[in-house]
Amino acid sequence: MSWLAAIGAATLAFLASIGRIAIFAGETLSHLFRPPFYFKEFGQQVLQVGYFSLPVVGLTTIFTGGALALQIYAGGARFNAEAVVPQIVAIGMVRELGPVLVGLMIAARVTSSIAAEIATMKVTEQIDALVTLSTHPMKYLTVPRVLAAFLVVPFLTGVGDVIGIMGGFLVATKTLGFNEAAYLQNTADFLQSSDIFSSLAKGAVFGVIAALMGCYYGMHSGRGAQGVGAATKASVQAAAILILAANFIFTGIFFAA
């Protein structure tokens, strides 16, 4: 029965991890509206999460939009349905690919950075120094990062949606022979306000997940360089899995028939 015991132990460890993360998220939420507020730290995180992530978001989404247009055109040609390229690119980018790609890029870039930074602070006892100076580590380190991600990632998602659609537009008009005005008109006519709202809502949730995982694993990292590396790796893995799971749940909520 050792195999059954191993499965049970892994299940209990998984549930315990979920419980610890939920408690950590609850503590973060409880500190969100209570002073003191560290506006300088918040401003720095807005730049780190938002402004400095624009290049990778733009490059990722424009190439994805272009590749999506090519794939849809090639698939639609089998059924004489090449004209659906603008509509499918728009709905694919706004509903799914835009927010998911932005979330994963934020997990790769921001979550890893947050986890490594906080874990290093823990290893070098800087977090203990904050406590000595009567500064709550969660208010100083976690709250500004989570709040910045919550506010900025929806903006990045909107930018990524637009750039992705433009990537499909460029490929379709310059390579596949689509009329520019007709392409843009079909895109505008097909998208609905609910599509845009769902994309931005997903972006906000994905941003919170990415920042929260970086802070959690950074705060709970092991000692030494190995602990910092393990915390960084675990944070990105957890953030990516939770983002994909949250995307599935939100898609079911917004678009279930």
Side-chain angles (χ1 to χ4, degrees):
M1 300 295 289
S2 59
W3 62 272
L4 186 59
I7 295 175
T11 302
L12 291 176
F14 174 72
L15 294 176
S17 298
I18 293 177
R20 288 192 294 268
I21 292 173
I23 293 172
F24 186 83
E27 291 178 353
T28 301
L29 184 63
S30 69
H31 286 287
L32 196 58
F33 302 104
R34 291 189 296 176
F37 303 107
Y38 299 97
F39 293 106
K40 181 179 179 181
E41 186 70 15
F42 170 74
Q44 292 176 347
Q45 295 308 314
V46 168
L47 289 176
Q48 289 293 332
V49 177
Y51 180 75
F52 294 123
S53 296
L54 282 172
V56 67
V57 167
L59 289 172
T60 300
T61 52
I62 193 170
F63 287 127
T64 301
L68 186 61
L70 290 173
Q71 290 283 10
I72 295 169
Y73 185 84
R78 301 178 183 179
F79 310 100
N80 295 320
E82 301 93 330
V84 301
V85 170
Q87 295 91 331
I88 303 303
V89 168
I91 196 171
M93 287 303 305
V94 174
R95 285 190 179 185
E96 291 296 321
L97 289 176
V100 170
L101 287 174
V102 171
L104 293 178
M105 289 301 102
I106 293 299
R109 183 186 180 279
V110 176
T111 304
S112 58
S113 175
I114 291 174
E117 181 182 1
I118 295 179
T120 302
M121 292 179 68
K122 181 179 179 181
V123 169
T124 57
E125 299 182 348
Q126 294 181 54
I127 294 180
D128 295 334
L130 290 175
V131 176
T132 303
L133 295 172
S134 299
T135 301
H136 199 295
M138 184 164 287
K139 289 195 69 65
Y140 185 77
L141 298 175
T142 302
V143 171
R145 287 163 172 79
V146 173
L147 184 59
F150 173 76
L151 296 175
V152 172
V153 175
F155 170 76
L156 289 175
T157 302
V159 172
D161 292 342
V162 172
I163 294 176
I165 291 173
M166 291 308 298
F169 168 80
L170 291 174
V171 169
T173 56
K174 304 302 180 183
T175 304
L176 304 178
F178 281 75
N179 179 268
E180 296 180 359
Y183 189 101
L184 293 176
Q185 188 62 48
N186 287 331
T187 300
D189 292 340
F190 195 73
L191 284 177
Q192 300 178 354
S193 58
S194 60
D195 299 327
I196 299 172
F197 174 77
S198 68
S199 182
L200 300 181
K202 285 182 178 182
V205 174
F206 296 167
V208 170
I209 291 173
L212 200 63
M213 291 301 98
C215 294
Y216 172 79
Y217 283 97
M219 290 282 193
H220 295 82
S221 69
R223 295 293 181 180
Q226 186 175 4
V228 174
T232 303
K233 179 176 67 175
S235 68
V236 175
Q237 290 175 344
I241 292 171
L242 289 176
I243 284 170
L244 294 175
N247 177 65
F248 172 77
I249 294 171
F250 271 81
T251 300
I253 292 174
F254 284 114
F255 304 111

Short mmCIF file of all heavy atoms in Angstrom, two decimals, residues 39-106:
data_model
loop_
_atom_site.label_atom_id
_atom_site.label_comp_id
_atom_site.label_asym_id
_atom_site.label_seq_id
_atom_site.Cartn_x
_atom_site.Cartn_y
_atom_site.Cartn_z
N PHE A 39 3.53 54.88 -1.38
CA PHE A 39 3.23 55.31 -2.73
C PHE A 39 4.47 55.26 -3.63
O PHE A 39 4.36 54.99 -4.82
CB PHE A 39 2.65 56.73 -2.70
CG PHE A 39 1.30 56.80 -2.05
CD1 PHE A 39 1.16 57.34 -0.78
CD2 PHE A 39 0.17 56.34 -2.70
CE1 PHE A 39 -0.08 57.41 -0.18
CE2 PHE A 39 -1.08 56.39 -2.10
CZ PHE A 39 -1.20 56.93 -0.83
N LYS A 40 5.64 55.54 -3.06
CA LYS A 40 6.86 55.49 -3.87
C LYS A 40 7.12 54.07 -4.35
O LYS A 40 7.45 53.85 -5.53
CB LYS A 40 8.05 56.01 -3.07
CG LYS A 40 9.35 56.02 -3.85
CD LYS A 40 10.50 56.56 -3.02
CE LYS A 40 11.81 56.55 -3.81
NZ LYS A 40 12.95 57.06 -2.99
N GLU A 41 6.97 53.11 -3.46
CA GLU A 41 7.16 51.71 -3.84
C GLU A 41 6.11 51.29 -4.87
O GLU A 41 6.42 50.57 -5.84
CB GLU A 41 7.06 50.83 -2.60
CG GLU A 41 7.36 49.36 -2.82
CD GLU A 41 8.83 49.09 -3.12
OE1 GLU A 41 9.67 49.99 -2.88
OE2 GLU A 41 9.12 47.99 -3.62
N PHE A 42 4.88 51.77 -4.68
CA PHE A 42 3.81 51.46 -5.65
C PHE A 42 4.15 52.02 -7.03
O PHE A 42 3.98 51.34 -8.06
CB PHE A 42 2.49 52.02 -5.14
CG PHE A 42 1.38 51.96 -6.15
CD1 PHE A 42 0.76 50.76 -6.46
CD2 PHE A 42 0.96 53.11 -6.81
CE1 PHE A 42 -0.27 50.71 -7.41
CE2 PHE A 42 -0.05 53.07 -7.75
CZ PHE A 42 -0.67 51.87 -8.05
N GLY A 43 4.63 53.26 -7.08
CA GLY A 43 4.99 53.87 -8.35
C GLY A 43 6.10 53.11 -9.05
O GLY A 43 6.08 52.94 -10.28
N GLN A 44 7.09 52.66 -8.29
CA GLN A 44 8.18 51.89 -8.89
C GLN A 44 7.67 50.57 -9.48
O GLN A 44 8.11 50.15 -10.55
CB GLN A 44 9.25 51.62 -7.84
CG GLN A 44 10.02 52.87 -7.40
CD GLN A 44 11.00 52.57 -6.28
OE1 GLN A 44 10.96 51.51 -5.65
NE2 GLN A 44 11.88 53.53 -6.00
N GLN A 45 6.73 49.95 -8.79
CA GLN A 45 6.19 48.69 -9.29
C GLN A 45 5.32 48.89 -10.53
O GLN A 45 5.27 48.02 -11.40
CB GLN A 45 5.39 47.97 -8.18
CG GLN A 45 6.23 47.55 -7.01
CD GLN A 45 7.46 46.74 -7.43
OE1 GLN A 45 7.35 45.83 -8.26
NE2 GLN A 45 8.61 47.07 -6.87
N VAL A 46 4.63 50.02 -10.61
CA VAL A 46 3.86 50.32 -11.82
C VAL A 46 4.80 50.38 -13.03
O VAL A 46 4.49 49.85 -14.11
CB VAL A 46 3.09 51.65 -11.65
CG1 VAL A 46 2.54 52.12 -13.00
CG2 VAL A 46 1.96 51.49 -10.66
N LEU A 47 5.95 51.00 -12.85
CA LEU A 47 6.92 51.05 -13.94
C LEU A 47 7.46 49.66 -14.25
O LEU A 47 7.58 49.27 -15.42
CB LEU A 47 8.08 51.99 -13.57
CG LEU A 47 7.76 53.48 -13.54
CD1 LEU A 47 8.98 54.27 -13.06
CD2 LEU A 47 7.33 53.98 -14.91
N GLN A 48 7.82 48.90 -13.22
CA GLN A 48 8.41 47.59 -13.43
C GLN A 48 7.42 46.63 -14.10
O GLN A 48 7.77 45.91 -15.04
CB GLN A 48 8.88 47.01 -12.09
CG GLN A 48 10.09 47.69 -11.50
CD GLN A 48 11.35 47.48 -12.33
OE1 GLN A 48 11.49 46.47 -13.01
NE2 GLN A 48 12.26 48.44 -12.29
N VAL A 49 6.19 46.61 -13.61
CA VAL A 49 5.20 45.67 -14.13
C VAL A 49 4.64 46.14 -15.47
O VAL A 49 4.45 45.34 -16.39
CB VAL A 49 4.05 45.47 -13.11
CG1 VAL A 49 2.97 44.56 -13.69
CG2 VAL A 49 4.59 44.90 -11.81
N GLY A 50 4.39 47.44 -15.59
CA GLY A 50 3.71 47.95 -16.76
C GLY A 50 4.62 48.44 -17.85
O GLY A 50 4.75 47.82 -18.92
N TYR A 51 5.29 49.54 -17.61
CA TYR A 51 6.06 50.21 -18.67
C TYR A 51 7.16 49.32 -19.23
O TYR A 51 7.30 49.20 -20.46
CB TYR A 51 6.65 51.51 -18.11
CG TYR A 51 7.45 52.29 -19.12
CD1 TYR A 51 6.82 53.01 -20.14
CD2 TYR A 51 8.84 52.29 -19.08
CE1 TYR A 51 7.55 53.72 -21.07
CE2 TYR A 51 9.58 53.00 -20.02
CZ TYR A 51 8.93 53.71 -21.01
OH TYR A 51 9.66 54.40 -21.94
N PHE A 52 7.92 48.68 -18.36
CA PHE A 52 9.05 47.88 -18.83
C PHE A 52 8.61 46.54 -19.42
O PHE A 52 9.44 45.81 -19.97
CB PHE A 52 10.04 47.66 -17.69
CG PHE A 52 10.72 48.93 -17.23
CD1 PHE A 52 10.64 49.34 -15.92
CD2 PHE A 52 11.41 49.72 -18.13
CE1 PHE A 52 11.24 50.52 -15.50
CE2 PHE A 52 12.02 50.90 -17.73
CZ PHE A 52 11.94 51.31 -16.41
N SER A 53 7.34 46.20 -19.29
CA SER A 53 6.83 44.97 -19.90
C SER A 53 6.25 45.20 -21.28
O SER A 53 5.92 44.25 -21.98
CB SER A 53 5.76 44.34 -19.00
OG SER A 53 6.29 43.94 -17.76
N LEU A 54 6.11 46.46 -21.68
CA LEU A 54 5.50 46.76 -22.98
C LEU A 54 6.25 46.13 -24.16
O LEU A 54 5.61 45.58 -25.07
CB LEU A 54 5.39 48.27 -23.16
CG LEU A 54 4.23 48.96 -22.43
CD1 LEU A 54 4.35 50.47 -22.54
CD2 LEU A 54 2.90 48.49 -22.98
N PRO A 55 7.59 46.19 -24.22
CA PRO A 55 8.26 45.60 -25.39
C PRO A 55 7.99 44.12 -25.57
O PRO A 55 7.67 43.67 -26.69
CB PRO A 55 9.75 45.88 -25.10
CG PRO A 55 9.74 47.06 -24.20
CD PRO A 55 8.53 46.92 -23.35
N VAL A 56 8.10 43.34 -24.50
CA VAL A 56 7.90 41.90 -24.64
C VAL A 56 6.44 41.58 -24.95
O VAL A 56 6.14 40.67 -25.74
CB VAL A 56 8.37 41.15 -23.36
CG1 VAL A 56 7.50 41.48 -22.16
CG2 VAL A 56 8.39 39.65 -23.60
N VAL A 57 5.50 42.34 -24.37
CA VAL A 57 4.09 42.14 -24.68
C VAL A 57 3.80 42.47 -26.14
O VAL A 57 3.12 41.72 -26.85
CB VAL A 57 3.21 43.00 -23.74
CG1 VAL A 57 1.76 43.05 -24.24
CG2 VAL A 57 3.25 42.43 -22.33
N GLY A 58 4.35 43.59 -26.62
CA GLY A 58 4.12 43.99 -28.00
C GLY A 58 4.67 42.98 -28.99
O GLY A 58 3.99 42.61 -29.96
N LEU A 59 5.90 42.54 -28.78
CA LEU A 59 6.51 41.59 -29.71
C LEU A 59 5.78 40.25 -29.69
O LEU A 59 5.56 39.62 -30.74
CB LEU A 59 7.99 41.38 -29.34
CG LEU A 59 8.92 42.56 -29.64
CD1 LEU A 59 10.30 42.30 -29.06
CD2 LEU A 59 9.00 42.81 -31.14
N THR A 60 5.39 39.80 -28.51
CA THR A 60 4.70 38.52 -28.40
C THR A 60 3.36 38.54 -29.13
O THR A 60 3.03 37.63 -29.90
CB THR A 60 4.48 38.16 -26.92
OG1 THR A 60 5.73 38.08 -26.26
CG2 THR A 60 3.75 36.84 -26.79
N THR A 61 2.58 39.59 -28.91
CA THR A 61 1.23 39.63 -29.47
C THR A 61 1.23 39.93 -30.97
O THR A 61 0.39 39.40 -31.70
CB THR A 61 0.38 40.67 -28.73
OG1 THR A 61 1.07 41.93 -28.69
CG2 THR A 61 0.10 40.22 -27.30
N ILE A 62 2.15 40.75 -31.45
CA ILE A 62 2.12 41.07 -32.89
C ILE A 62 2.50 39.85 -33.72
O ILE A 62 1.88 39.58 -34.76
CB ILE A 62 3.04 42.27 -33.20
CG1 ILE A 62 2.75 42.78 -34.62
CG2 ILE A 62 4.53 41.88 -33.08
CD1 ILE A 62 3.42 44.10 -34.93
N PHE A 63 3.46 39.06 -33.25
CA PHE A 63 3.81 37.85 -33.99
C PHE A 63 2.71 36.79 -33.87
O PHE A 63 2.44 36.06 -34.83
CB PHE A 63 5.14 37.28 -33.48
CG PHE A 63 6.33 38.10 -33.90
CD1 PHE A 63 7.24 38.57 -32.97
CD2 PHE A 63 6.54 38.42 -35.24
CE1 PHE A 63 8.33 39.33 -33.35
CE2 PHE A 63 7.63 39.17 -35.64
CZ PHE A 63 8.53 39.63 -34.69
N THR A 64 2.07 36.73 -32.71
CA THR A 64 0.98 35.77 -32.54
C THR A 64 -0.20 36.14 -33.42
O THR A 64 -0.82 35.27 -34.05
CB THR A 64 0.54 35.72 -31.07
OG1 THR A 64 1.65 35.34 -30.26
CG2 THR A 64 -0.59 34.72 -30.87
N GLY A 65 -0.54 37.42 -33.48
CA GLY A 65 -1.64 37.85 -34.35
C GLY A 65 -1.35 37.56 -35.81
O GLY A 65 -2.24 37.10 -36.56
N GLY A 66 -0.11 37.80 -36.24
CA GLY A 66 0.25 37.50 -37.62
C GLY A 66 0.18 36.02 -37.93
O GLY A 66 -0.34 35.60 -38.97
N ALA A 67 0.71 35.20 -37.02
CA ALA A 67 0.67 33.75 -37.22
C ALA A 67 -0.77 33.24 -37.21
O ALA A 67 -1.13 32.33 -37.97
CB ALA A 67 1.49 33.05 -36.13
N LEU A 68 -1.61 33.82 -36.36
CA LEU A 68 -3.02 33.41 -36.29
C LEU A 68 -3.72 33.70 -37.61
O LEU A 68 -4.51 32.87 -38.10
CB LEU A 68 -3.70 34.14 -35.14
CG LEU A 68 -5.14 33.74 -34.83
CD1 LEU A 68 -5.23 32.27 -34.43
CD2 LEU A 68 -5.70 34.61 -33.70
N ALA A 69 -3.44 34.86 -38.20
CA ALA A 69 -4.05 35.19 -39.50
C ALA A 69 -3.64 34.19 -40.57
O ALA A 69 -4.48 33.75 -41.37
CB ALA A 69 -3.65 36.61 -39.90
N LEU A 70 -2.37 33.82 -40.59
CA LEU A 70 -1.91 32.85 -41.58
C LEU A 70 -2.58 31.49 -41.38
O LEU A 70 -3.00 30.83 -42.36
CB LEU A 70 -0.39 32.70 -41.48
CG LEU A 70 0.45 33.90 -41.96
CD1 LEU A 70 1.92 33.66 -41.65
CD2 LEU A 70 0.25 34.15 -43.45
N GLN A 71 -2.68 31.06 -40.14
CA GLN A 71 -3.29 29.75 -39.87
C GLN A 71 -4.77 29.73 -40.22
O GLN A 71 -5.28 28.75 -40.79
CB GLN A 71 -3.11 29.40 -38.38
CG GLN A 71 -1.69 29.08 -37.97
CD GLN A 71 -1.27 27.68 -38.40
OE1 GLN A 71 -1.96 27.01 -39.16
NE2 GLN A 71 -0.12 27.24 -37.92
N ILE A 72 -5.49 30.79 -39.87
CA ILE A 72 -6.92 30.85 -40.17
C ILE A 72 -7.15 30.89 -41.68
O ILE A 72 -8.06 30.24 -42.21
CB ILE A 72 -7.56 32.06 -39.48
CG1 ILE A 72 -7.49 31.89 -37.97
CG2 ILE A 72 -9.01 32.23 -39.91
CD1 ILE A 72 -7.85 33.13 -37.19
N TYR A 73 -6.31 31.64 -42.38
CA TYR A 73 -6.45 31.71 -43.84
C TYR A 73 -6.20 30.35 -44.46
O TYR A 73 -6.95 29.91 -45.35
CB TYR A 73 -5.48 32.74 -44.39
CG TYR A 73 -5.63 32.98 -45.87
CD1 TYR A 73 -6.57 33.88 -46.36
CD2 TYR A 73 -4.81 32.30 -46.78
CE1 TYR A 73 -6.71 34.09 -47.72
CE2 TYR A 73 -4.94 32.51 -48.15
CZ TYR A 73 -5.89 33.40 -48.61
OH TYR A 73 -6.03 33.61 -49.96
N ALA A 74 -5.15 29.66 -44.00
CA ALA A 74 -4.84 28.35 -44.55
C ALA A 74 -5.94 27.35 -44.24
O ALA A 74 -6.32 26.53 -45.09
CB ALA A 74 -3.50 27.86 -44.00
N GLY A 75 -6.47 27.40 -43.02
CA GLY A 75 -7.55 26.47 -42.67
C GLY A 75 -8.85 26.82 -43.36
O GLY A 75 -9.59 25.94 -43.82
N GLY A 76 -9.15 28.13 -43.45
CA GLY A 76 -10.39 28.53 -44.10
C GLY A 76 -10.40 28.25 -45.59
O GLY A 76 -11.46 28.06 -46.19
N ALA A 77 -9.21 28.24 -46.21
CA ALA A 77 -9.14 27.98 -47.65
C ALA A 77 -9.66 26.59 -48.00
O ALA A 77 -10.12 26.36 -49.12
CB ALA A 77 -7.70 28.14 -48.14
N ARG A 78 -9.62 25.66 -47.06
CA ARG A 78 -10.12 24.31 -47.33
C ARG A 78 -11.64 24.29 -47.48
O ARG A 78 -12.20 23.37 -48.07
CB ARG A 78 -9.71 23.38 -46.18
CG ARG A 78 -8.21 23.29 -45.96
CD ARG A 78 -7.90 22.40 -44.78
NE ARG A 78 -6.46 22.36 -44.50
CZ ARG A 78 -5.91 21.67 -43.50
NH1 ARG A 78 -6.70 20.95 -42.69
NH2 ARG A 78 -4.61 21.68 -43.31
N PHE A 79 -12.31 25.31 -46.91
CA PHE A 79 -13.77 25.36 -46.96
C PHE A 79 -14.28 26.62 -47.65
O PHE A 79 -15.43 27.01 -47.48
CB PHE A 79 -14.33 25.30 -45.54
CG PHE A 79 -13.77 24.19 -44.71
CD1 PHE A 79 -12.75 24.43 -43.79
CD2 PHE A 79 -14.23 22.90 -44.85
CE1 PHE A 79 -12.23 23.42 -43.01
CE2 PHE A 79 -13.70 21.87 -44.09
CZ PHE A 79 -12.70 22.12 -43.17
N ASN A 80 -13.38 27.28 -48.41
CA ASN A 80 -13.73 28.53 -49.08
C ASN A 80 -14.25 29.57 -48.09
O ASN A 80 -15.22 30.29 -48.37
CB ASN A 80 -14.77 28.29 -50.18
CG ASN A 80 -14.23 27.42 -51.31
OD1 ASN A 80 -13.08 27.57 -51.72
ND2 ASN A 80 -15.06 26.51 -51.81
N ALA A 81 -13.60 29.64 -46.93
CA ALA A 81 -14.02 30.56 -45.88
C ALA A 81 -12.88 31.48 -45.46
O ALA A 81 -12.73 31.83 -44.29
CB ALA A 81 -14.53 29.78 -44.67
N GLU A 82 -12.08 31.91 -46.45
CA GLU A 82 -10.94 32.77 -46.13
C GLU A 82 -11.37 34.12 -45.58
O GLU A 82 -10.62 34.79 -44.88
CB GLU A 82 -10.09 33.00 -47.38
CG GLU A 82 -9.53 31.74 -48.00
CD GLU A 82 -10.43 31.19 -49.10
OE1 GLU A 82 -11.66 31.39 -49.02
OE2 GLU A 82 -9.89 30.55 -50.04
N ALA A 83 -12.61 34.53 -45.88
CA ALA A 83 -13.06 35.87 -45.49
C ALA A 83 -13.25 36.02 -43.99
O ALA A 83 -13.41 37.14 -43.50
CB ALA A 83 -14.38 36.19 -46.21
N VAL A 84 -13.23 34.93 -43.24
CA VAL A 84 -13.46 35.02 -41.80
C VAL A 84 -12.19 35.38 -41.03
O VAL A 84 -12.24 35.47 -39.80
CB VAL A 84 -14.04 33.70 -41.25
CG1 VAL A 84 -15.35 33.36 -41.93
CG2 VAL A 84 -13.03 32.56 -41.39
N VAL A 85 -11.08 35.62 -41.71
CA VAL A 85 -9.83 35.91 -41.02
C VAL A 85 -9.95 37.09 -40.06
O VAL A 85 -9.55 37.00 -38.90
CB VAL A 85 -8.69 36.14 -42.04
CG1 VAL A 85 -7.45 36.71 -41.36
CG2 VAL A 85 -8.34 34.84 -42.75
N PRO A 86 -10.49 38.26 -40.47
CA PRO A 86 -10.55 39.38 -39.51
C PRO A 86 -11.37 39.08 -38.28
O PRO A 86 -10.99 39.45 -37.15
CB PRO A 86 -11.17 40.52 -40.33
CG PRO A 86 -11.40 40.03 -41.68
CD PRO A 86 -10.99 38.61 -41.78
N GLN A 87 -12.51 38.42 -38.45
CA GLN A 87 -13.37 38.12 -37.32
C GLN A 87 -12.72 37.16 -36.33
O GLN A 87 -12.76 37.38 -35.11
CB GLN A 87 -14.71 37.53 -37.81
CG GLN A 87 -15.55 38.50 -38.63
CD GLN A 87 -15.29 38.43 -40.11
OE1 GLN A 87 -14.18 38.09 -40.53
NE2 GLN A 87 -16.29 38.75 -40.92
N ILE A 88 -12.11 36.10 -36.85
CA ILE A 88 -11.54 35.09 -35.96
C ILE A 88 -10.27 35.61 -35.29
O ILE A 88 -10.02 35.32 -34.12
CB ILE A 88 -11.24 33.78 -36.73
CG1 ILE A 88 -12.52 33.28 -37.40
CG2 ILE A 88 -10.70 32.73 -35.79
CD1 ILE A 88 -13.68 33.03 -36.45
N VAL A 89 -9.47 36.38 -36.00
CA VAL A 89 -8.29 36.98 -35.37
C VAL A 89 -8.72 37.89 -34.24
O VAL A 89 -8.14 37.86 -33.14
CB VAL A 89 -7.46 37.77 -36.42
CG1 VAL A 89 -6.41 38.62 -35.72
CG2 VAL A 89 -6.77 36.80 -37.37
N ALA A 90 -9.74 38.71 -34.46
CA ALA A 90 -10.20 39.64 -33.43
C ALA A 90 -10.71 38.90 -32.21
O ALA A 90 -10.31 39.19 -31.07
CB ALA A 90 -11.30 40.55 -34.01
N ILE A 91 -11.59 37.94 -32.40
CA ILE A 91 -12.17 37.25 -31.24
C ILE A 91 -11.13 36.36 -30.56
O ILE A 91 -11.12 36.22 -29.34
CB ILE A 91 -13.42 36.43 -31.66
CG1 ILE A 91 -14.22 36.06 -30.41
CG2 ILE A 91 -13.05 35.18 -32.44
CD1 ILE A 91 -15.57 35.46 -30.73
N GLY A 92 -10.24 35.77 -31.36
CA GLY A 92 -9.20 34.92 -30.77
C GLY A 92 -8.23 35.71 -29.91
O GLY A 92 -7.85 35.28 -28.82
N MET A 93 -7.83 36.87 -30.40
CA MET A 93 -6.89 37.70 -29.63
C MET A 93 -7.55 38.31 -28.41
O MET A 93 -6.97 38.30 -27.31
CB MET A 93 -6.33 38.81 -30.53
CG MET A 93 -5.33 38.34 -31.57
SD MET A 93 -3.88 37.48 -30.91
CE MET A 93 -3.26 38.67 -29.73
N VAL A 94 -8.74 38.85 -28.55
CA VAL A 94 -9.36 39.58 -27.45
C VAL A 94 -9.87 38.63 -26.37
O VAL A 94 -9.68 38.87 -25.17
CB VAL A 94 -10.50 40.48 -27.98
CG1 VAL A 94 -11.26 41.13 -26.82
CG2 VAL A 94 -9.92 41.55 -28.89
N ARG A 95 -10.51 37.55 -26.77
CA ARG A 95 -11.10 36.65 -25.77
C ARG A 95 -10.06 35.76 -25.10
O ARG A 95 -10.14 35.52 -23.89
CB ARG A 95 -12.16 35.76 -26.43
CG ARG A 95 -13.46 36.45 -26.74
CD ARG A 95 -14.49 35.41 -27.15
NE ARG A 95 -15.80 36.01 -27.44
CZ ARG A 95 -16.88 35.30 -27.72
NH1 ARG A 95 -16.81 33.98 -27.78
NH2 ARG A 95 -18.03 35.91 -27.97
N GLU A 96 -9.12 35.25 -25.87
CA GLU A 96 -8.23 34.22 -25.33
C GLU A 96 -6.75 34.56 -25.40
O GLU A 96 -6.08 34.71 -24.38
CB GLU A 96 -8.48 32.89 -26.05
CG GLU A 96 -9.82 32.27 -25.75
CD GLU A 96 -9.96 31.88 -24.28
OE1 GLU A 96 -8.98 31.39 -23.69
OE2 GLU A 96 -11.05 32.09 -23.74
N LEU A 97 -6.23 34.67 -26.60
CA LEU A 97 -4.78 34.74 -26.75
C LEU A 97 -4.19 35.99 -26.14
O LEU A 97 -3.12 35.94 -25.52
CB LEU A 97 -4.41 34.66 -28.24
CG LEU A 97 -4.62 33.30 -28.90
CD1 LEU A 97 -4.32 33.38 -30.39
CD2 LEU A 97 -3.75 32.25 -28.24
N GLY A 98 -4.85 37.14 -26.27
CA GLY A 98 -4.32 38.38 -25.71
C GLY A 98 -4.09 38.30 -24.21
O GLY A 98 -2.97 38.43 -23.73
N PRO A 99 -5.17 38.08 -23.43
CA PRO A 99 -4.97 38.02 -21.98
C PRO A 99 -4.08 36.87 -21.52
O PRO A 99 -3.29 37.04 -20.58
CB PRO A 99 -6.40 37.86 -21.43
CG PRO A 99 -7.24 37.47 -22.58
CD PRO A 99 -6.59 38.02 -23.80
N VAL A 100 -4.17 35.71 -22.16
CA VAL A 100 -3.36 34.57 -21.72
C VAL A 100 -1.88 34.82 -22.01
O VAL A 100 -1.02 34.58 -21.15
CB VAL A 100 -3.84 33.27 -22.40
CG1 VAL A 100 -2.84 32.14 -22.15
CG2 VAL A 100 -5.20 32.88 -21.87
N LEU A 101 -1.57 35.30 -23.21
CA LEU A 101 -0.18 35.57 -23.54
C LEU A 101 0.40 36.66 -22.65
O LEU A 101 1.54 36.54 -22.19
CB LEU A 101 -0.06 35.96 -25.02
CG LEU A 101 -0.23 34.84 -26.03
CD1 LEU A 101 -0.23 35.40 -27.44
CD2 LEU A 101 0.87 33.79 -25.88
N VAL A 102 -0.36 37.72 -22.41
CA VAL A 102 0.13 38.77 -21.53
C VAL A 102 0.34 38.23 -20.12
O VAL A 102 1.36 38.51 -19.47
CB VAL A 102 -0.85 39.96 -21.51
CG1 VAL A 102 -0.48 40.97 -20.42
CG2 VAL A 102 -0.86 40.65 -22.87
N GLY A 103 -0.61 37.42 -19.64
CA GLY A 103 -0.46 36.84 -18.31
C GLY A 103 0.77 35.97 -18.20
O GLY A 103 1.51 36.04 -17.21
N LEU A 104 1.02 35.15 -19.21
CA LEU A 104 2.19 34.27 -19.17
C LEU A 104 3.49 35.06 -19.29
O LEU A 104 4.50 34.71 -18.67
CB LEU A 104 2.09 33.23 -20.29
CG LEU A 104 0.96 32.20 -20.14
CD1 LEU A 104 0.94 31.26 -21.34
CD2 LEU A 104 1.11 31.40 -18.85
N MET A 105 3.49 36.12 -20.09
CA MET A 105 4.68 36.96 -20.19
C MET A 105 4.95 37.67 -18.87
O MET A 105 6.11 37.82 -18.45
CB MET A 105 4.53 37.97 -21.31
CG MET A 105 4.57 37.39 -22.72
SD MET A 105 6.12 36.52 -23.07
CE MET A 105 5.59 34.81 -22.89
N ILE A 106 3.89 38.12 -18.20
CA ILE A 106 4.06 38.75 -16.89
C ILE A 106 4.56 37.73 -15.88
O ILE A 106 5.41 38.03 -15.03
CB ILE A 106 2.73 39.37 -16.42
CG1 ILE A 106 2.35 40.55 -17.33
CG2 ILE A 106 2.82 39.84 -14.98
CD1 ILE A 106 3.34 41.68 -17.33
#
